[in-house]
Amino acid sequence: MPEGHTIHRLAADYGERFLGRTIRATSPQGKFADGAALVDNQVLADTEAHGKHLFLGFGPDRWIHIHLGLFGKLGFGGAPAPPPTDTVRLRIASPSAHADLRGPTTCALITDSEKQAIHDRLGPDPLRPQDDGARAWQRISRSRTTIAALLLDQKIIAGVGNVYRAEVLFRHGIDPYLPGRDLTRAQWDAIWADLVFLMAEGVRHNRIDTVRPEHLPEAMGRPPRVDDHGGEVYVYRRAHLGCHICGSEIRTAGLAARNLFWCPGCQPATGAPRS
DNA sequence: AGCTCATGGCGAG
DNA sequence: TCGCCCTGAGCTG
C-alpha cells in the first residue's frame, strides 16, 4: 500500500542489492513468466522511480515496469531464498539476496520509448530533484476541480497518495474542497515545498509522519498513535476523533472513490458547499 | 468460511 | 460514477 516515497525507497532497495549483478528471475505465479525469462541471467543496470511507478533497467531498451497499485507488496530477504508462495508474480534473486513481488497492478517488460511515454503522462514528482512544482501550478491554477482531487491526479503531481493529500492540506489549513484556481501561488508553493520535505522524510524513515515536533504525542501529553499504517498524522483515518490542534471532530467524506479526511476547524470551508 | 477494507488506477457507460 | 483488477489482514460467525 504505497505512496511515492515507498516506491523511491524500493528503487533504492533493489539497487542496493542487485545493481551491477547478474540476477535470476522467475514468476512462480506464472503471469510474468515470459518477461522473467527475458531478464533471467541479465545484469540489473538501473533502477528508477517516478511517482508510484518503478523501473528496473536491464538495458539496452529493456525495462521492467512495476506499479504496486493498492495491494502490491515487495518483500526483500537473504539467500538462499525460501520456496516461493504461489502468489509471487516476480522473484529476483542473487547469490546473496532475493526480492518477491506480489499483487502488483502492473509488472511488464517495456522499451525505452514506452518508459518515456509513462514519464510524459506523469506530473512532476516532489522526490525527483529536477522536477518543478511550477509545472503543476500551471494546471492547478486553471482548474475548477477541488484541490483534494487535483492532488491525487498523477498527471498533475506524481507520487502523492491519500495520506499525503489529507495531511498536507491540513498542515496548510486549506479546505480540501477549494477549487484549484482559487489557491494562491504562495499557498501552492508552500504545499509543494512541504511535499518535497515530507516525502523525503518518508523515504528516510520508510513511513509517513506529518506531525510537527511541537504537536507530537509526547509534547502534547497524549499517547502515541497505534495504527496499522504506522506514522503520526493529524487527520488521515482519524474520522470522528478530536483534532490534535483545535479539538474539532475530524470529518470524512468520499471523494472520487477515496476517503478524504479533514478538520473543519483548522481547514474552514472556503470552497464549494459540501454535503 | 465469508465479509470488509486498504497508502491505486483503468476502462466502460 | 461505477465495476473491476491485484492480495492479505482483521474482523464476524
Side-chain angles (χ1 to χ4, degrees), chain A residues 42-259:
Chain A
Q42 303 297 304
V43 173
L44 179 66
D46 201 0
T47 73
E48 189 180 340
H50 185 166
K52 300 165 187 171
H53 297 255
L54 173 59
F55 304 96
L56 305 179
F58 292 90
D61 206 28
R62 182 168 291 175
W63 297 84
I64 296 180
H65 171 217
I66 293 170
H67 193 296
L68 294 182
L70 193 50
F71 311 135
K73 281 187 177 62
L74 204 33
F76 293 94
T85 58
D86 58 12
T87 57
V88 175
R89 180 81 55 91
L90 170 65
R91 166 171 283 185
I92 286 179
S94 76
S96 58
H98 74 279
D100 283 350
L101 171 67
R102 299 161 205 272
T105 289
T106 303
C107 176
L109 215 53
I110 61 171
T111 63
D112 288 344
S113 68
E114 288 167 330
K115 174 171 177 283
Q116 188 55 48
I118 293 165
H119 291 299
D120 291 346
R121 67 175 163 78
L122 289 174
D125 178 345
L127 288 171
R128 288 166 71 91
Q130 69 276 30
D131 283 10
D132 183 0
R135 232 176 85 215
W137 174 248
Q138 284 190 354
R139 301 187 58 171
I140 290 167
S141 60
R142 294 194 313 248
S143 176
R144 277 176 291 219
T145 304
T146 63
I147 186 59
L150 292 169
L151 283 173
L152 283 191
D153 185 340
Q154 304 295 300
K155 298 187 296 298
I156 293 181
I157 177 170
V160 174
N162 209 20
V163 184
Y164 283 121
R165 149 174 94 167
E167 293 297 309
V168 82
L169 290 174
F170 177 89
R171 283 168 61 97
H172 296 269
I174 293 171
D175 172 17
Y177 291 87
L178 188 69
R181 64 181 183 182
D182 292 344
L183 250 72
T184 65
R185 177 67 191 257
Q187 281 177 316
W188 172 250
D189 287 346
I191 287 176
W192 175 265
D194 207 20
L195 287 169
V196 170
F197 166 74
L198 288 173
M199 294 177 75
E201 286 289 291
V203 176
R204 277 192 338 125
H205 300 300
N206 207 16
R207 56 180 242 178
I208 300 177
D209 292 295
T210 61
V211 175
R212 295 190 166 88
E214 65 269 29
H215 299 145
L216 284 174
E218 42 283 24
M220 299 287 279
R222 55 182 171 82
R225 179 189 179 80
V226 181
D227 182 293
D228 59 4
H229 102 271
E232 283 291 340
V233 292
Y234 288 106
V235 293
Y236 177 69
R237 279 208 226 174
R238 294 198 66 250
H240 314 305
L241 299 174
C243 172
H244 293 325
I245 310 306
C246 77
S248 300
E249 189 173 310
I250 302 301
R251 292 196 55 185
T252 185
L255 188 77
R258 313 297 300 284
N259 294 319

